[in-house]
Every structure is written in C-alpha cells, then in structure tokens.
Amino acid sequence: MKQMRLGRDFGWLWAAFAVSTAGTWLALDAFSLIAVLVLHSSTAQVSFLAAAGLAAGALLAVPLGPWVEFRRKRPAMIGADLVRCAALLTLPMAYVIDALTFTQLVLVSVVVATADIVFKSASGAHLKALVPADGLLVASARFETTMWTATSIGPTLGGAAIGAFGPLTTIVGDALSYVLSAIGVRAIRSPEPVPSGGGRRKFSWADVGEGWRYVWRHPDLRGLFLNTALVNGLIMVGAPLMAVLMLRELGFPVWQYSLAFGVPCLGGLIGSRLSPRLVRHYGALRVLRVSGVARACWPVGLAFTGPGVGGLLVVMFVELGLITCCGIFNPVMARERLQRTESDRVARVLSAWNITSTAVTAVLTLAWGGLAAAVGTREALAAAGVLLLGTPVLLRSASTRSPVPRLP
C-alpha cells in the first residue's frame, strides 16, 4: 500500500519528536537511578521523587493550558525544550563538584514535568493544524513507532553508557536532545494558524477549567480520559518499584535492568505499525476496546519477578505483551481525541488531559511507595496489577460517537 505523504513540515516536527524521545529513553528512569545508585535513597524516597515532581509539575501547568491555547504553538514548544535542557544540565554540574542533593533532583523533576506538559499540549494542537484529518492516524502511528523504536534502543545504550562513563551521562544526552528538538521545531516553515483570540486574548482563570468541562460533557472523550489516566498511573507506579526490586533487592546489574525494559519495546514498534491496518479492517472503536482490555492484563505478572535469567525473562515477557497492546491502543486513542475535539480547544483539552494523567500518576506513585514500604515491593506490584484488571470498564462510554459539544 502506498505510504501517505504528510509534507516537509510534518517531517521536521517528527524529527524534533524523534530526537527528544531518543534522549528521554536514553535516560530511562534517570532520576530513580541517580537516587538509588548515587544518593542511596530509600524506597519511599524514590517513590516520592517520582511523585513529587509529577504532582508539582501538574499543579504549575494548570494555568499554562489556556495560555498555550491563545499563543502560537511553536515558540511555546521551543521554550519548553530549552527550559528542560537548562534544568537537566544543572545535575551533572552539581555532581562534578560533589554538590548533588535529593532536593535538587526533586526540583529539576518539577521543572521538567511542567515543561513536558506545555510541550505536549502545544505540539498536539500544532499537529492538528499541520496534518489533514485523514492523516492524523498515520501521523500518530509514526510518532508511536518512533517512540517505541527509541525505547527499545535507548535504555540498553543508556545502561551501557552509565556503566562506562558514570550515572549522569544519560542526563547530558537527554539535555542536548532538547536543543536539537528546538532546532527541528524552528525549521518548520508553514505559517501557524492564528491562535484563538487572535493571539492577543488575555489569560482568564475561567479558561483554566474549560478543558475539563469540555471533556466531561463529551461521553466519548470522558471514557477515554478516565481510562487512560488510571491505566497510565497504575502502570507507572511500577517504574520506581521495579528499579528497587531489580537493582537493590534482586541484585540485577544496570545493563540487565535496562535490557529488560528495552528489548520488549520492539512490541510497541510492532503494535504501532499494526494499528492503522487494524483500524481499517475492524474499526477504531473495536480496536480501542480490544487493545484497551488486553493491555490491562499484563502488569500483574511483574509481581512474579525473581532473580537470575528466569526473572529477567518474566519481566521481558510481561513488558512485551503490555507494550504491544499499548502500541496498538495509543495511536488510535490520540487520533480519536484530536478528531473529537474542536480546533479552538485542543490545547486546553490536551493540557487538562496531561495534567490529570500526571497528577493521578503522582498520587498513585506516592501511595504505592508507602504501600511498598508497608507490605513489600512485590506485594505492591501485585496490587497495582489486580486493580488494572478493572479499568477496561471505563472504555464502555467510548463505544459510540456523540456530537462534539459546543461551549460558550
């Protein structure tokens, strides 16, 4: 089948996404690894680090959604890239002079989390303006394919780099990737559509809640919104717990830990390549429901991770199944979300979506850190996996296409 051409400017946006994503996954769980390997932090501290950065970042990003809606998107994306770069570079500088602290890690994670939300909101709105409606699924699938390709290679290279050059090496690579991303965004030449309000509308606190109101009045979006926030949160609570379980309790070397989460990401590459074909054959709604159910069934298996090769294979098998299902689900969800949202509200909806997902992940990560401290790491992983089994019920409200709501 002939490959759809989305144009030169989409190519630059795609390249910017690719390079920053490569940097992000090169530095997989970098903050957790630094906390465990350099600062010798406890399990509760590692979970707090993951949760506090996300929670504070989400709170700071609340007024930024409407601000982005009424501004041109490319300058916001470039600014977010440069802020993330500057914040990350403070870590190796502090490490070199033996001044790195847990508090600094938390503060940098807050800045990075806030800028992440700004970038995602602006880039999602810009994508809808840059790509025709019939190309959104293909564009989303290409982003998903790129992400999983980077994820499959990045952690393994990152683990090798940490082993060879030290624990802050991947942070430097991640920071530089944001500079290259900013250059890619700057290379886009097509004029941006005039923002809502002509780019001159003043910020109003009434705009802050509009993204959430819009989602809540739209049954299709509401179901996807609740499902993705809860599923992402329950999946992500396992990241700091698995770092503690594998690196500290089971004694896996860093390169094996990185391998366990890197190789299975090939499943995301497979899933994202299959996603458009499955939609053509079975329809978007059926693909969303089936892949949404399937992705919830895997994470409970992480509770059975043991030492040695057997444990490594368990993690890789579980992650392969989970990531393949996510690779199918995510592009379809992203396309449906954009298509069901009016153009003049995309940034606010995406901001509300990302803030909620980030906040839910933060709260659950903090709670699961306390749970792990109370009952054990393995038991906490099992609890998250069992709860995930109930999340597909939230997709039932996304089974029909309701009219796009108009808000005053």
Side-chain angles (χ1 to χ4, degrees):
M1 185 174 180
K2 188 176 179 180
Q3 190 84 339
M4 178 178 288
R5 297 180 64 85
L6 298 177
R8 172 189 176 278
D9 285 333
F10 171 77
W12 280 115
L13 183 63
W14 188 13
F17 173 83
V19 70
S20 64
T21 300
T24 297
W25 288 102
L26 181 73
L28 172 69
D29 291 338
F31 290 168
S32 295
L33 290 175
I34 293 169
V36 172
L37 300 177
V38 178
L39 301 176
H40 309 292
S41 304
S42 66
T43 302
Q45 284 179 309
V46 174
S47 293
F48 174 80
L49 171 64
L54 293 175
L59 181 63
L60 291 172
V62 167
L64 294 176
W67 182 86
V68 169
E69 189 81 77
F70 304 129
R71 300 295 182 276
R72 296 198 181 273
K73 308 304 181 289
R74 292 203 286 264
M77 294 159 65
I78 292 170
D81 276 334
L82 297 181
V83 166
R84 287 184 286 187
C85 173
L88 287 171
L89 287 178
T90 66
L91 295 177
M93 292 169 62
Y95 178 74
V96 167
I97 63 174
D98 197 26
L100 182 62
T101 65
F102 184 79
T103 300
Q104 183 183 0
L105 269 183
V106 173
L107 291 175
V108 171
S109 70
V110 170
V111 173
V112 171
T114 305
D116 281 345
I117 293 173
V118 171
F119 187 91
K120 289 176 182 177
S121 301
S123 62
H126 192 49
L127 176 65
K128 185 168 183 177
L130 202 63
V131 173
D134 60 355
L136 285 175
L137 179 58
V138 173
S140 298
R142 289 182 187 176
F143 283 137
E144 192 76 9
T145 298
T146 301
M147 185 192 73
W148 291 118
T149 301
T151 309
S152 65
I153 300 171
T156 303
L157 295 178
I162 288 173
F165 304 110
L168 275 294
T169 306
T170 57
I171 290 288
V172 175
D174 192 17
L176 295 179
S177 75
Y178 292 124
V179 176
L180 296 176
S181 173
I183 293 171
V185 174
R186 183 67 181 81
I188 299 173
R189 289 287 177 251
S190 61
E192 279 197 66
V194 177
S196 302
R200 295 181 297 274
R201 177 173 166 179
K202 292 183 179 180
F203 171 80
S204 168
W205 284 104
D207 293 318
V208 168
E210 188 164 338
W212 284 281
R213 290 197 300 271
Y214 188 93
V215 169
W216 206 253
R217 294 184 187 186
H218 195 315
D220 297 346
L221 287 175
R222 185 170 66 238
L224 291 175
F225 174 74
L226 294 173
N227 176 267
T228 54
L230 189 55
V231 169
N232 290 344
L234 288 171
I235 289 174
M236 291 306 297
V237 299
L241 299 184
M242 287 301 294
V244 171
L245 177 65
M246 294 185 70
L247 296 173
R248 178 177 294 162
E249 297 179 11
L250 297 177
F252 283 94
V254 172
W255 72 268
Q256 287 186 355
Y257 171 80
S258 300
L259 189 69
F261 292 96
V263 173
C265 291
L266 293 172
L269 178 61
I270 295 169
S272 60
R273 299 278 292 183
L274 287 174
S275 188
R277 300 179 187 179
L278 293 174
V279 168
R280 284 196 297 270
H281 283 88
Y282 301 107
L285 299 179
R286 181 179 296 180
V287 172
L288 277 176
R289 288 197 297 269
V290 173
S291 61
V293 170
R295 68 182 176 149
C297 298
W298 294 94
V300 69
L302 293 175
F304 300 97
T305 303
V309 174
L312 192 65
L313 292 177
V314 167
V315 175
M316 294 174 75
F317 177 73
V318 170
E319 291 294 318
L320 178 64
L322 170 64
I323 292 170
T324 301
C325 295
C326 289
I328 295 171
F329 179 92
N330 290 343
V332 186
M333 185 278 293
R335 193 278 299 266
E336 292 296 301
R337 182 174 59 187
L338 287 176
Q339 285 193 332
R340 300 180 192 197
T341 304
E342 293 175 273
S343 296
D344 62 348
R345 288 177 172 84
V346 171
R348 280 171 284 182
V349 166
L350 293 182
S351 179
W353 203 293
N354 291 323
I355 288 169
T356 302
S357 183
T358 300
V360 169
T361 298
V363 171
L364 292 179
T365 299
L366 189 60
W368 254 256
L371 181 63
V375 303
T377 307
R378 201 182 300 275
E379 290 77 7
L381 286 166
V386 170
L387 286 176
L388 269 165
L389 296 175
T391 57
V393 70
L394 296 170
L395 291 172
R396 296 174 70 179
S397 63
S399 61
T400 58
R401 286 186 181 273
S402 58
V404 175
R406 293 292 309 185
L407 295 179

